[in-house]
Amino acid sequence: FGMRVAGRESVEFNRLLPPRQIVKVTGMYVGAFLLNGLGFYLLIASITDYSPRYLPLAVGLFGLAAVVGLVSVFAPAGIGVREGILVVVLQTTMPVERAILVSLVARVWATVLDLLLIAGCFIYDQLSGEQLLINALRGRGSENDTPSAPDP
């Protein structure tokens, strides 16, 4: 639909990825969301006494808050949106002060993990010798890129 509105040729979805790959990637995303949700539950349990019966709530809530935060174009990185959703739902299972604390600690936790992942990528890039990330940041392609025609 969006391609027709933009006046471009429509591309069949299955031409982008074979159906088997779509299922595989979807499964990987579901697994990542479940692991993130489990980590969120363990974070809550480390801060406050939180019953294991709330594990499904924590897993689903963290995924929901993350997705809503990402699609909130008015909030960079969903800042404030994700925390608001977490507080609104968590306050039904704990005092609001603890819910606020958990949401703020979760933001710091996620930010630190993101920074560690980025650092790990740069370290791997450096140790591999390819320096793809460094070159991309400097605006240079890899040696395997074909040179473009010079500007007139």
Side-chain angles (χ1 to χ4, degrees), residues 90-141:
L90 286 176
Q91 72 180 346
T92 64
T93 63
M94 65 179 64
V96 69
E97 296 83 10
R98 279 200 198 132
I100 292 170
L101 176 66
V102 165
S103 72
L104 294 176
V105 170
R107 171 60 73 172
V108 171
W109 170 63
T111 302
V112 168
L113 288 177
D114 285 346
L115 292 173
L116 287 173
L117 179 62
I118 291 168
C121 289
F122 273 104
I123 290 168
Y124 175 80
D125 191 46
Q126 190 70 24
L127 293 176
S128 73
E130 293 185 43
Q131 297 186 348
L132 298 174
L133 294 173
I134 304 274
N135 289 335
L137 288 174
R138 291 181 180 154
R140 292 184 262 157

Side-chain angles (χ1 to χ4, degrees), residues 40-121:
F40 179 63
Y41 170 79
L42 294 173
L43 177 75
I44 296 171
S46 72
I47 293 173
T48 186
D49 187 27
Y50 205 60
S51 172
R53 73 179 181 184
Y54 295 127
L55 175 62
L57 173 72
V59 170
L61 173 62
F62 197 67
L64 173 70
V67 168
V68 173
L70 283 175
V71 298
S72 300
V73 294
F74 60 88
I79 195 154
V81 175
R82 184 168 67 184
E83 290 77 16
I85 292 171
L86 292 177
V87 170
V88 165
V89 176
L90 286 176
Q91 72 180 346
T92 64
T93 63
M94 65 179 64
V96 69
E97 296 83 10
R98 279 200 198 132
I100 292 170
L101 176 66
V102 165
S103 72
L104 294 176
V105 170
R107 171 60 73 172
V108 171
W109 170 63
T111 302
V112 168
L113 288 177
D114 285 346
L115 292 173
L116 287 173
L117 179 62
I118 291 168
C121 289

Side-chain angles (χ1 to χ4, degrees), residues 2-74:
M3 297 296 276
R4 279 185 279 170
V5 170
R8 295 188 175 191
E9 182 182 328
S10 178
V11 176
E12 291 182 36
F13 186 67
N14 64 357
R15 288 181 60 199
L16 298 176
L17 277 177
R20 182 175 261 165
Q21 283 295 103
I22 293 170
V23 170
K24 183 178 178 181
V25 169
T26 302
M28 292 170 71
Y29 268 103
V30 168
F33 269 93
L34 290 173
L35 285 174
N36 279 333
L38 176 62
F40 179 63
Y41 170 79
L42 294 173
L43 177 75
I44 296 171
S46 72
I47 293 173
T48 186
D49 187 27
Y50 205 60
S51 172
R53 73 179 181 184
Y54 295 127
L55 175 62
L57 173 72
V59 170
L61 173 62
F62 197 67
L64 173 70
V67 168
V68 173
L70 283 175
V71 298
S72 300
V73 294
F74 60 88

